[in-house]
Amino acid sequence: MSKKIYSAAIVGTGRIGFTLGFDKKREQPASHTMALLANKRVNLVAAADTDSAKLNDWAHFVKNAEIFDSSEKMYSAFSSTNAGSLDIITIAVNEDAHLQECLRAIQARPRLIILEKPVALNCAQAEQIAQAAKQNNVTVMVNHERRFAADYNAAKVYAKKIGTIQSVRGELFSGLRIYGKEFEADGTYSLLHDGTHLVDIIRFILDEDLKNPLVTGIFKDEKNVVRNFCAHFSTPSVADISIAMSGRSRFFSFALDILGTEGRICIGNGYAKFYQRKESKLYSGFFSLSRDRSIHLPKKTGYFSNMIQNAVDFLDGNAELKSPLSEAIADLQTLEEIKEQLKN
């Protein structure tokens, strides 16, 4: 019996929506368009964007698909008797348009919405999305990509093999400002834009919520914009969790260091190292950490393709979503708790 082909449309044909798929240095597929096209169970039938140049570039690449200069026109076309309905709608627009575009997509009542992270600019907007989704019986998943990556899933499994977890260190360094009140309106600050990934992957690996942070090490520049901070958390099972972010680095770095009583995990962009307690080769009567060479990861993490496959499996009724809306809202709640202390 042939399997159902799911129809999909995308709102936003910019970087994450389309053009990162041409970045030769990135693991591909690296955009929503390329990942949707790569899955044989998905038929990408339409796109909408207010930028005509971007939309036309997309149309030249994705043959036989329809294009629209607004999402409203696209939904109207596909709700007609002739066109039929959409199974998947992907929202790949800037953070400040997430609320409006997601609410529009929900009204179109697809079977699944794939929403770019973060959910919205703040928790109040995220709750509006959640309420609308519930009222219209529409499921929303959020693209926190590391939840789908082979290396981070291996880390989640390995975390149960390193004894009691003693500490977790998360670091995110870049040149983008961490926080400034004037940037809340469009979300162009790293705490929201990148910090959502750091908070989310720690919560994913530990299966713990991060609440009541103690924020220290706050550094502000001459314009009173936050450029550095460190947030400390304790959970019922891990007493020492910290997140450090810098917005004055001349490089980009994303890293986790998870220390257990029996081993260690060091993972970040481009590397994943796993360690176990072994009898020391350096000191008699001591144990040291030794690299565990038994862990073999695939050359590709599959972070984007696995996300689309999870969507297909969910629509087939064979899997739960690995990145549901509720988890992404919990991430946003943590970020807002940090933000309140940065403000003060």
Side-chain angles (χ1 to χ4, degrees):
M1 184 175 68
S2 60
K3 294 183 178 180
K4 177 177 171 58
I5 302 298
Y6 296 110
S7 61
I10 186 168
V11 181
T13 56
R15 293 180 78 250
I16 196 65
F18 178 45
T19 60
L20 288 181
F22 300 101
D23 187 336
K24 294 181 179 180
K25 290 186 177 181
R26 291 176 185 257
E27 177 190 317
Q28 295 294 336
S31 70
H32 287 282
T33 293
M34 302 310 186
L36 289 165
L37 289 174
N39 194 298
K40 295 179 180 179
R41 299 284 308 285
V42 176
N43 182 23
L44 184 54
V45 297
D49 201 310
T50 56
D51 188 317
S52 59
K54 291 177 181 177
L55 191 60
N56 287 330
D57 286 344
W58 186 91
H60 285 308
F61 186 82
V62 186
K63 306 297 183 185
N64 303 317
E66 297 185 62
I67 56 172
F68 302 86
D69 59 14
S70 76
S71 57
E72 292 170 303
K73 291 180 182 178
M74 182 172 72
Y75 301 143
S76 176
F78 279 87
S79 64
S80 68
T81 353
N82 294 332
S85 60
L86 296 165
D87 295 305
I88 301 169
I89 296 174
T90 292
I91 309 294
V93 295
N94 292 337
E95 288 91 337
D96 56 349
H98 280 198
L99 176 62
Q100 174 182 276
E101 289 299 345
C102 200
L103 292 179
R104 284 179 182 171
I106 288 169
Q107 291 302 315
R109 297 193 177 180
R111 293 186 60 190
L112 179 67
I113 291 173
I114 299 173
L115 175 63
E116 248 311 307
K117 61 76 196 170
V119 179
L121 292 176
N122 51 57
C123 286
Q125 290 187 1
E127 286 301 331
Q128 288 184 59
I129 291 172
Q131 287 299 318
K134 183 178 180 181
Q135 290 168 5
N136 289 276
N137 196 29
V138 174
T139 302
V140 180
M141 72 182 295
V142 180
N143 184 31
H144 277 115
E145 60 191 40
R146 288 171 180 81
R147 286 180 175 248
F148 305 98
D151 50 356
Y152 283 96
N153 277 273
K156 182 177 176 68
V157 172
Y158 203 81
K160 302 184 185 306
K161 301 178 181 179
I162 59 173
T164 301
I165 294 178
Q166 302 179 76
S167 67
V168 177
R169 300 276 183 268
E171 298 177 349
L172 202 162
F173 303 147
S174 75
L176 179 63
R177 58 191 162 259
I178 300 298
Y179 171 74
K181 187 176 181 180
E182 62 268 41
F183 306 109
E184 285 197 52
D186 62 8
T188 56
Y189 60 99
S190 188
L191 179 66
L192 180 70
H193 186 76
D194 300 309
T196 184
H197 279 307
L198 192 56
V199 166
D200 184 74
I201 200 58
I202 292 173
R203 292 184 59 255
F204 174 69
I205 290 175
L206 298 182
D207 285 322
E208 297 261 22
D209 279 330
L210 302 180
K211 296 181 178 180
N212 304 314
L214 171 64
V215 180
T216 63
I218 300 173
F219 174 86
K220 297 182 180 181
D221 64 19
E222 66 280 358
K223 296 181 179 179
N224 205 38
V225 172
V226 177
R227 291 287 176 175
N228 285 84
F229 79 89
C230 188
H232 308 269
F233 302 85
S234 289
T235 70
S237 62
V238 186
D240 181 17
I241 301 171
S242 67
I243 291 173
M245 290 185 64
S246 166
R248 52 178 176 157
S249 301
R250 297 177 65 188
F251 57 87
F252 182 82
S253 176
F254 186 105
L256 287 184
D257 189 334
I258 304 170
L259 180 66
T261 54
E262 303 278 338
R264 190 173 202 162
I265 301 168
C266 300
I267 186 170
N269 284 3
Y271 68 92
K273 300 177 181 179
F274 304 85
Y275 299 87
Q276 276 290 329
R277 170 185 178 269
K278 299 288 182 182
E279 187 174 342
S280 179
K281 296 179 180 179
L282 303 174
Y283 313 105
S284 299
F286 282 80
F287 287 83
S288 298
L289 289 180
S290 179
R291 183 82 177 269
D292 188 343
R293 303 287 180 180
S294 69
I295 306 299
H296 300 291
L297 296 173
K299 289 184 179 180
K300 285 192 171 186
T301 69
Y303 68 99
F304 234 125
S305 53
N306 289 344
M307 184 270 289
I308 297 299
Q309 188 58 50
N310 181 233
V312 168
D313 292 340
F314 170 78
L315 292 176
D316 283 345
N318 295 328
E320 296 293 323
L321 292 179
K322 293 191 75 169
S323 188
L325 179 61
S326 58
E327 289 292 304
I329 291 177
D331 297 331
L332 198 53
Q333 289 168 342
T334 299
L335 296 174
E336 289 212 343
E337 288 189 8
I338 293 172
K339 185 172 69 177
E340 285 307 307
Q341 294 191 45
L342 295 179
K343 285 181 177 180
N344 300 326

